Each structure stands twice: as structure tokens, then as C-alpha cells.
Amino acid sequence: EDPEPQAAFDATIARRDRIEPRDWMPDAYRKTLVRQIAQHAHSEIIGMQPEGAWIGSAPSLRRKAILLAKVQDEAGHGLYLYAACETLGVSRAELTDLLLAGRQKYSSIFNYPTPSYADVGTIGWLVDGAAICNQVPLCRTSYGPYGRAMIRICKEESFHQRQGYELLMTMMRGTEAQRAMVQESVNRFWWPVLMMFGPPDVQSPNSARSMAWGIKRNSNDELRQKFVDMTVPQADALGVTLPDPDLRWNEERGQHDFGEPDWEEFAAVVRGDGPCNAQRLRHRQAAHDDGAWVREAATAFAARAGAR
Ligand code: ACO
């Protein structure tokens, strides 16, 4: 193999500059990007379900409009990410098939149910908060189209996070029953949210290589720590308790100590055995089937427009 393109690639990565679609890249770099970006895109699309379930029963027109806009944003994020992935030579149709066949993953967090309306707020505050923590560094990822997609996504995620926090703040100013709803929701989501960052660094098979390639800029544990440190004062301001008896400020480290998530539960959810995995994929498959006529019509229209 010609050593020159590899050297050019290595130099670009070393300069922390960007690799663009037409540049030469190692096969494994391309594969890793497809894996991560596809997984990210699928997460956005599957992530529409847990909150989408509340659109029909949001408690006011204002809350309904906010939630609708937010869930539509997630669809948009999925589309930017599928488009970024297509620059690597795979089609969105192929990626969707891989998801539906269970051969590509999506974030574990979306396999948890949303039985309470407070979950809409908690997802905005904690799930989107964790997503921002993980995704802001990805704006500087080494692959151009992915990094550029992340910039816009992060801006929208910040709005999502604030709307969630504002919703919870409103409920906390309400009745005793509303405050209890918020606490119950936070109790259910806290540990699964910490799992979003992925396995501990020592058990993360992809991290070292992805960081050497500049795809990931921080390790899973670094981002998890950052998220905890960022969230504790927000929980205080809100007046909720984070359900971790080991959570405390460590003066020496200048960071919080916190407990270990249940990694067996994480493994089960990633394997497909979480509370809602089957339901999420069934719903996605049904939506895909229902949308077949739209894809057919769009393809026929594009072919005719092309012929003209
Ligand atoms: N849910 C499901 N699978 C996960 C999760 C998770 N929360 N965390 C890690 N995994 C999987 C990895 O994909 C990997 O499996 P694979 O090799 O089959 O892909 C395996 O567990 C081992 O993990 P790592 O070696 O740590 O994998 P990686 O280096 O890819 O790091 C991470 C995982 C941090 C999720 C990374 O891929 C990432 O930053 N992705 C972009 C962000 C993203 O996908 N966010 C989606 C949720 S946020 C939202 O959409 C609102």
C-alpha cells in the first residue's frame, strides 16, 4: 500500500485538523465513524418515542407546542447525522435496515419507559444534559461532516435541556404531589443516565483508538464525571435529591465522588433485554412500513425530475 496517504492522514490528525469525505482514510477509521455516527443517528430517531408518547396528553397547549417542537428537532438531528454518515459511503436505507435487524445499536437510555409526565422534564434536564456533555467535545471531532452536524445539534440540545429544567422547576413550585412526581422520575432516570456515557474506560474496547484518531476527544469516565459535577448544583437549585448515597464533594480531587452504576443492567439493555427494547424496535419497524409509500413516491418523483 502507498505510504503517502497514510502519512497525510496521520499528519492531519496530529494537527487536530479535519478529515473530509474525499480524503483518504484508513478503512478502520471509516468503519468506526459509520458505527458511531449511525448509532448516534438511530438514538435520535428512537429517542423520539419515549417523549413522543406524551404529545397527545401534554397538560396545556403551550407544553404541547414545546414538546412537539422538541421531538421534531430530534428527527432533524437524526437526519443531519444520517446525511453525515452517507458521506462515508453508506446509505440511510442500509443503516435503517441494520438498525431494524438489530445489527446496529442505539443509546441504552431510550429503552426505559416514561410512565410519568415529569419524565418529559427529566429527559430534557438529565438525558439531554448528558447528551450535551458528550456532544460538545464532538464538535471538534476529526471528521468534518460529523463535527459540523454536532454544532447545530448542540445548540438545539441546549434549548431542550433548558425546557426540561424549566418544566421541572414549574412542577417543583406546584403541589406536594407534583414535587413527588419529579423526585420519583429523577430517581428512576439517574442511574440509566450515567450509563449513557458508556462502560468504564477500562472496559471500553473502542475508546483508546477512537481517541487516538480524534473521533472522541474525551473518555467515557471523564465525561461522566463532568456531567455529575455539572448536575449536582442544578439538582440543589431544583430541590431534588440525586439517589446516590455515595455522592459527595471530594475536596482533594475538586470533583464529586459517586457510586457505580449497575453495569450488568447496562449490558442487558445493550444486549436487547431492557424494559422497552422490543417495543421501541417494533414501533420503529411499524413506522418504517407505514412510510413505504412516501419513499416510493419520493423516489418516483426524483426519477421523473431527473429524466426531465
Ligand atoms: N448505549 C448503547 N450502547 C452503548 C452505550 C450506550 N449508552 N455506550 C456504549 N455502548 C456500546 C458501544 O457502542 C460499543 O459497542 P459497539 O462496539 O458494538 O458499537 C460498546 O458499548 C463498548 O463501548 P465503547 O467502547 O465505550 O464505545 P464507544 O467508544 O463508541 O463509546 C459512546 C460509546 C460514548 C456512546 C460514543 O459512541 C459516543 O460518544 N457516541 C456519540 C453520542 C451518542 O451516540 N449519543 C446518543 C445518545 S444522546 C441523544 O441522542 C439525545
Side-chain angles (χ1 to χ4, degrees):
E1 197 171 79
D2 184 353
E4 266 174 44
Q6 176 77 55
F9 173 86
D10 292 343
T12 305
I13 298 291
R15 281 198 310 276
R16 294 174 79 91
D17 206 347
R18 285 193 146 151
I19 303 295
E20 295 297 338
R22 290 202 183 88
D23 295 341
W24 182 90
M25 60 187 88
D27 232 23
Y29 176 83
R30 183 187 300 274
K31 276 210 187 97
T32 295
L33 280 170
V34 170
R35 175 182 65 78
Q36 177 166 327
I37 303 173
Q39 211 169 93
H40 197 163
H42 299 326
S43 303
E44 300 283 357
I45 298 297
I46 297 276
M48 295 168 74
Q49 293 184 38
E51 287 184 281
W54 279 98
I55 292 172
S57 35
S60 69
L61 181 60
R62 177 169 170 266
R63 291 293 173 194
K64 189 180 185 122
I66 294 171
L67 186 54
L68 255 177
K70 198 213 140 167
V71 172
Q72 282 179 2
D73 283 352
E74 307 293 355
H77 297 176
L79 295 185
Y80 313 150
L81 288 164
Y82 283 126
C85 212
E86 288 193 317
T87 66
L88 292 159
V90 275
S91 72
R92 184 170 142 205
E94 285 172 77
L95 297 173
T96 302
D97 288 345
L98 288 168
L99 168 71
L100 292 174
R103 289 173 54 207
Q104 280 181 343
K105 300 186 167 85
Y106 58 89
S107 180
S108 51
I109 193 69
F110 301 118
N111 292 306
Y112 290 86
T114 45
S116 151
Y117 177 68
D119 295 340
V120 172
T122 306
I123 289 178
W125 175 39
L126 295 179
V127 175
D128 297 332
I132 293 167
C133 228
N134 164 275
Q135 291 171 16
V136 165
L138 290 176
C139 296
R140 291 180 286 107
T141 191
S142 59
Y143 188 57
Y146 189 29
R148 288 188 288 274
M150 291 320 305
I151 292 171
R152 179 155 177 182
I153 291 176
C154 285
K155 287 189 179 151
E156 293 179 351
E157 292 291 359
S158 312
F159 154 72
H160 296 172
Q161 202 236 3
R162 290 194 150 236
Q163 70 79 36
Y165 196 74
E166 190 268 346
L167 193 165
L168 295 182
M169 195 54 110
T170 306
M171 289 183 78
M172 292 302 284
R173 285 199 216 96
T175 63
E176 202 45 59
Q178 286 174 307
R179 277 190 285 280
M181 274 174 80
V182 173
Q183 185 63 58
E184 188 276 333
S185 173
V186 169
N187 289 349
R188 258 185 301 112
F189 270 96
W190 178 248
W191 293 106
V193 164
L194 291 187
M195 296 175 196
M196 285 174 68
F197 295 93
D201 292 351
V202 288
Q203 287 159 36
S204 163
N206 301 302
S207 274
R209 198 155 65 159
S210 287
M211 286 175 71
W213 274 329
I215 294 175
K216 283 167 80 162
R217 294 292 184 194
N218 302 89
S219 77
N220 300 357
D221 286 332
E222 278 167 23
L223 294 172
R224 195 169 6 253
Q225 177 74 55
K226 192 167 163 223
F227 172 75
V228 170
D229 292 334
M230 173 182 109
T231 305
V232 168
Q234 296 173 357
D236 284 344
L238 201 54
V240 297
T241 308
L242 298 172
D244 177 357
D246 298 324
L247 182 63
R248 66 181 61 85
W249 179 251
N250 181 324
E251 193 64 54
E252 228 163 89
R253 292 201 301 126
Q255 292 174 320
H256 290 87
D257 291 336
F258 57 99
E260 201 62 45
D262 178 349
W263 294 114
E264 278 177 29
E265 176 183 320
F266 173 73
V269 174
V270 172
R271 213 172 42 233
D273 297 332
C276 301
N277 295 60
Q279 181 191 335
R280 299 292 184 239
L281 275 182
R282 232 182 6 252
H283 188 94
R284 184 71 197 85
Q285 179 73 58
H288 187 65
D289 295 344
D290 287 346
W293 70 272
V294 179
R295 292 190 298 278
E296 279 161 27
T299 309
F301 179 78
R304 222 185 305 157
R308 273 207 299 274

